[in-house]
């Protein structure tokens, strides 16, 4: 079956540091890949997505590239801010069939300090 | 435009009771799905509705049920509550129920946090 593996958190960084959160996946075929972010007390917000190999998703300074050869979708940001502190979830979904059945990783908590 | 609205945001129940959670999707979205989020199991898919029909179901016992109304609003119900049902229940909506090669994305609500005592 499908699965997503994320690096264990928490990740603690100083403001303006470089961020990488690793995500690898196992899936049948070529799924779409997503990063969602969850701020304290809130639901999930879509951060970025990529629907095919070599696609790069980007939003708010965050980027992730769909690497089929390494089955990875690592999240990066060049300079984090305190406001980026949240839990980040990597997820995948098949490109056919239902839109709603996402497989999520366990989440990685990011804490950014001044 | 308004996002996905879930009510109530917080609720406390005791074991054996039942609970009903409500979800209003984004205007024009016709597909609604539900997820359970717990510290131990993470985010797990419960079920999905489109045009008042359940299209897909996750691996949860029959105590978990849902429905969708003609205006696309959805409710989920959990009967005979157990301590392990304590969780954040997230609703998500999308335009259609098909993945459409990645174009159809989910928008989540803020969730309903259920505590079972």
């Amino acid at each position: 079956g499908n699965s997503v593996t994320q690096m264990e958190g928490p990740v603690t960084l100083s403001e303006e540091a470089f961020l990488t959160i690793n995500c690898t996946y196992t899936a049948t075929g070529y799924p779409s890949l997503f990063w969602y972010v969850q701020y304290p007390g809130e639901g999930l917000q879509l951060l970025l997505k990529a629907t095919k190999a070599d696609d790069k998703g980007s939003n708010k300074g965050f980027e992730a590239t769909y690497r089929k050869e390494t089955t990875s979708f690592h999240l990066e940001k060049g300079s984090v801010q305190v406001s980026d502190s949240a839990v980040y979830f990597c997820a995948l979904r098949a490109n056919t069939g239902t839109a709603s059945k996402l497989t999520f990783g366990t989440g990685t908590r990011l804490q950014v300090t001044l | 435009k308004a996002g996905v609205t879930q009510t109530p945001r917080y609720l406390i129940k005791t074991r054996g009771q039942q609970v009903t959670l409500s979800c209003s999707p984004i205007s024009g979205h016709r597909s609604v799905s539900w997820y359970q989020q717990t510290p131990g199991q993470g985010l797990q898919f419960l079920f999905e509705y489109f045009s008042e029909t359940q299209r897909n179901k996750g691996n949860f016992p029959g105590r978990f049920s849902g429905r969708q109304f003609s205006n696309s609003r959805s409710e989920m119900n959990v009967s005979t509550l157990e301590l392990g049902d304590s969780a954040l229940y997230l609703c998500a909506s999308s335009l259609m129920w098909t993945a459409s090669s990645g174009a159809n994305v989910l928008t989540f609500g803020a969730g309903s946090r259920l505590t079972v005592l």
Side-chain angles (χ1 to χ4, degrees):
Chain A
N2 296 339
S3 68
V4 175
T5 302
Q6 286 182 239
M7 60 188 291
E8 290 277 334
V11 174
T12 303
L13 295 173
S14 299
E15 201 170 43
E16 299 184 2
F18 184 86
L19 168 71
T20 300
I21 300 178
N22 290 338
C23 171
T24 58
Y25 67 89
T26 302
T28 304
Y30 304 103
S32 289
L33 302 172
F34 305 84
W35 277 100
Y36 280 86
V37 58
Q38 187 173 35
Y39 297 100
E42 298 185 14
L44 300 174
Q45 297 178 26
L46 178 65
L47 184 58
L48 52 84
K49 69 171 185 175
T51 59
K52 61 183 187 298
D54 300 324
D55 266 3
K56 177 185 280 190
S58 61
N59 185 27
K60 300 180 181 179
F62 291 90
E63 292 184 340
T65 301
Y66 188 163
R67 302 286 189 200
K68 187 181 70 172
E69 62 277 12
T70 55
T71 61
S72 65
F73 193 54
H74 304 322
L75 182 68
E76 297 182 335
K77 187 176 185 183
S79 176
V80 294
Q81 306 299 312
V82 171
S83 57
D84 294 328
S85 298
V87 181
Y88 291 82
F89 292 91
C90 183
L92 67 80
R93 184 186 72 193
N95 274 334
T96 57
T98 178
S100 297
K101 195 168 185 181
L102 290 165
T103 299
F104 285 92
T106 53
T108 302
R109 182 176 300 277
L110 169 66
Q111 185 168 348
V112 181
T113 60
L114 290 170
Chain B
K1 63 184 177 183
V4 178
T5 303
Q6 292 189 244
T7 56
R9 288 293 311 277
Y10 302 91
L11 67 167
I12 300 173
K13 295 285 187 179
T14 57
R15 278 182 298 174
Q17 288 186 312
Q18 73 164 10
V19 66
T20 298
L21 309 177
S22 179
C23 173
S24 293
I26 290 174
S27 177
H29 283 195
R30 299 171 61 193
S31 175
V32 174
S33 53
W34 290 88
Y35 284 79
Q36 182 196 62
Q37 185 179 21
T38 61
Q41 299 298 316
L43 283 151
Q44 294 184 285
F45 173 78
L46 278 157
F47 30 63
E48 173 194 18
Y49 288 87
F50 179 81
S51 291
E52 302 177 62
T53 301
Q54 187 179 88
R55 299 284 174 166
N56 211 340
K57 189 177 191 305
N59 189 24
F60 279 82
R63 299 185 297 107
F64 292 80
S65 63
R67 59 178 175 167
Q68 186 181 35
F69 302 95
S70 58
N71 61 359
S72 296
R73 191 177 70 85
S74 176
E75 290 181 346
M76 68 163 282
N77 184 276
V78 187
S79 63
T80 319
L81 284 166
E82 301 176 0
L83 296 178
D85 297 333
S86 294
L88 180 67
Y89 290 89
L90 292 166
C91 170
S93 73
S94 61
L95 274 171
M96 299 291 290
W97 75 278
T98 56
S100 299
S101 298
N104 197 13
V105 297
L106 298 187
T107 302
F108 284 82
S112 293
R113 183 166 295 282
L114 169 66
T115 301
V116 182
L117 302 176

